[in-house]
Amino acid sequence: GGGRPSAAQAVLLAASTALTALVYSLYRQRARVARGLEGAKRVQLDGDLRAVLLEAPGRCVPYAVIEGVVQSVKETLSSQFVENCKGVIQRLTLQEHKMVWNRTTHLWNDYEKVIHQRTNTTPFDLVPLEEGTGVSIRVMKPLEASELSLETVYEKFHPSVQSFTDVIGHYISGERPKGIQETEQMLKVGTALTGVGELVLDNSTIKLQPPKQGMPYYLSTTDFDSLLQRQESNVRFWKVLSILFGFTTCTILFFLLRKQYRHHRQRRHLQQMQEEFQQAQERLLSEMNAKGRETLKNACVICLSNPKSCVFLECGHVCSCSECHRALPEPKKCPICRQGISRVVPLYNS
């Protein structure tokens, strides 16, 4: 290929570069989130919280960490399946389970699909563990939280009833229904919650809402240290993955550049050999021309093949071989000056 990478090598390099860029972008995003969490201001849910917000610029803490207990504002949501289970967020899910025939691997694979989901919410606050402080934080837009911890309070699987005809039809169609799973998840009243977001004092209400700097919004049942450790572990995973993909891309690029360099070196070597051959050929031609000119200079002017071997007197010209001299017509004359030849002296080259 003239040292150029093949189509497969170019596609491999492009795919590896794109994957490296994607993984590195995800790593940078996770690292930014981890740094933001690490730099978040930890605020205590106590009587001094209002004073802290009054002193903050714009009565706002852009990224704050607050821990409290869930408490409904007006009314609570009751579980449809569990008695005396009250919450502020309720999510009902119907999920279909079935087996799908894979024509490539010739195996039955599990397949899950959410066929219906409904989420009910009611306004709620975060209050401190100790009662009587009179401080609460209104949680805004909880469904926008990237990590909303809901507890599964009810789960039941309803298997599908199939007749023999249905079984045959399912084998022919390549789909075998297994059943419907019904799930209810809730954020219960009294759950300890860690909120990470923008904390703002709006008139007399303290609100926790999604931050405006593009940082994630968290409502998690885990403590803040565990949440931070999980994010840092996620960052390490993507960092290692970025290094592996980057090393793979550099290796592919190194081999392609090495191939290009070797081809360039071979081409330079071939070009040098051609130049040396051309110079030797020119030198040989010049030597042959020089010898030819020397041979032509000493050749007989009549036959141009035999060397000159006699001197004509009295003119003194050396221009003929002895054979051509004998072949000259009578009276013999010098071929150069046309003067008569009185005698001939043999020429000896030493």
Side-chain angles (χ1 to χ4, degrees):
R4 296 186 301 271
S6 63
Q9 291 172 342
V11 170
L12 180 62
L13 179 61
S16 179
T17 304
L19 286 175
T20 301
L22 176 61
V23 172
Y24 182 72
S25 175
L26 292 174
Y27 158 70
R28 290 288 301 273
Q29 182 180 358
R30 300 297 191 279
R32 185 177 66 87
V33 170
R35 288 195 301 267
L37 275 177
E38 190 175 358
K41 183 177 181 180
R42 304 191 68 167
V43 182
Q44 297 294 327
L45 187 54
D46 52 20
D48 298 332
L49 178 59
R50 191 178 299 274
V52 171
L53 290 175
L54 286 173
E55 295 177 357
R59 296 184 177 184
C60 171
V61 178
Y63 209 47
V65 181
I66 195 77
E67 296 179 352
V69 178
V70 175
Q71 182 182 36
S72 62
V73 176
K74 297 181 180 179
E75 58 182 12
T76 58
L77 301 174
S78 299
S79 172
Q80 295 186 3
F81 305 98
V82 182
E83 294 182 0
N84 300 323
C85 183
K86 304 291 185 179
V88 293
I89 299 178
Q90 180 188 45
R91 180 171 293 165
L92 301 171
T93 305
L94 291 178
Q95 192 174 37
E96 180 186 12
H97 292 256
K98 61 182 178 180
M99 304 287 288
V100 177
W101 177 255
N102 192 323
R103 291 181 174 83
T104 304
T105 61
H106 299 285
L107 295 173
W108 290 96
N109 299 328
D110 289 327
Y111 177 78
E112 299 176 359
K113 178 183 178 182
V114 176
I115 57 178
H116 179 72
Q117 188 176 77
R118 186 177 79 249
T119 303
N120 303 319
T121 62
T122 185
F124 67 95
D125 294 342
L126 290 181
V127 297
L129 295 174
E130 298 82 6
E131 298 181 358
T133 58
V135 181
S136 62
I137 297 177
R138 181 67 49 83
V139 178
M140 311 299 295
K141 302 178 180 179
L143 298 182
E144 294 185 9
S146 59
E147 184 174 329
L148 179 59
S149 300
L150 299 179
E151 180 184 352
T152 301
V153 297
Y154 177 80
E155 187 175 16
K156 186 176 181 180
F157 184 76
H158 303 278
S160 60
V161 179
Q162 304 176 14
S163 63
F164 180 74
T165 306
D166 295 335
V167 172
I168 295 177
H170 296 154
Y171 271 100
I172 295 175
S173 64
E175 294 185 0
R176 292 165 49 190
K178 296 172 64 177
I180 302 296
Q181 184 173 357
E182 189 175 14
T183 306
E184 182 182 22
Q185 296 174 302
M186 296 189 71
L187 179 60
K188 294 182 180 180
V189 174
T191 302
L193 208 62
T194 301
V196 183
E198 184 183 59
L199 203 62
V200 60
L201 178 61
D202 185 8
N203 295 328
S204 60
T205 305
I206 303 176
K207 296 180 179 180
L208 178 68
Q209 58 191 16
K212 297 183 177 64
Q213 296 87 355
M215 297 297 293
Y217 182 37
Y218 292 100
L219 292 174
S220 176
T221 54
T222 60
D223 59 282
F224 177 72
D225 293 332
S226 300
L227 184 64
L228 182 59
Q229 289 178 2
R230 187 162 65 248
Q231 293 299 324
E232 291 176 347
S233 176
N234 196 9
V235 170
R236 286 193 295 270
F237 169 77
W238 285 105
K239 182 178 181 180
V240 172
L241 208 60
S242 299
I243 293 174
L244 290 177
F245 275 96
F247 178 76
T248 303
T249 303
C250 291
T251 303
I252 296 173
L253 183 61
F254 168 76
F255 279 106
L256 292 181
L257 291 178
R258 180 171 175 266
K259 177 183 176 182
Q260 185 77 11
Y261 170 73
R262 293 180 63 181
H263 172 75
H264 177 71
R265 188 174 62 180
Q266 292 176 358
R267 187 173 59 184
R268 287 290 302 273
H269 180 64
L270 179 61
Q271 184 178 0
Q272 184 178 2
M273 291 178 61
Q274 290 176 347
E275 291 177 354
E276 292 177 355
F277 177 77
Q278 186 176 3
Q279 292 175 0
Q281 190 177 23
E282 291 176 354
R283 186 166 57 249
L284 181 61
L285 289 175
S286 63
E287 292 177 356
M288 292 177 63
N289 291 333
K291 290 181 180 179
R293 286 193 299 270
E294 185 67 23
T295 302
L296 186 62
K297 181 179 179 181
N298 296 325
C300 172
V301 298
I302 300 174
C303 64
L304 297 177
S305 59
N306 295 325
K308 300 173 183 178
S309 61
C310 53
V311 181
F312 296 153
L313 297 176
E314 296 294 333
C315 65
H317 285 125
V318 182
C319 60
S320 175
C321 62
S322 58
E323 295 179 358
C324 291
H325 166 257
R326 289 193 295 268
L328 288 175
E330 294 294 340
K332 298 182 183 296
K333 294 182 180 181
C334 176
I336 302 298
C337 62
R338 307 305 296 171
Q339 185 178 348
I341 302 173
S342 60
R343 63 192 180 100
V344 177
V345 178
L347 179 67
Y348 299 98
N349 294 322
S350 59

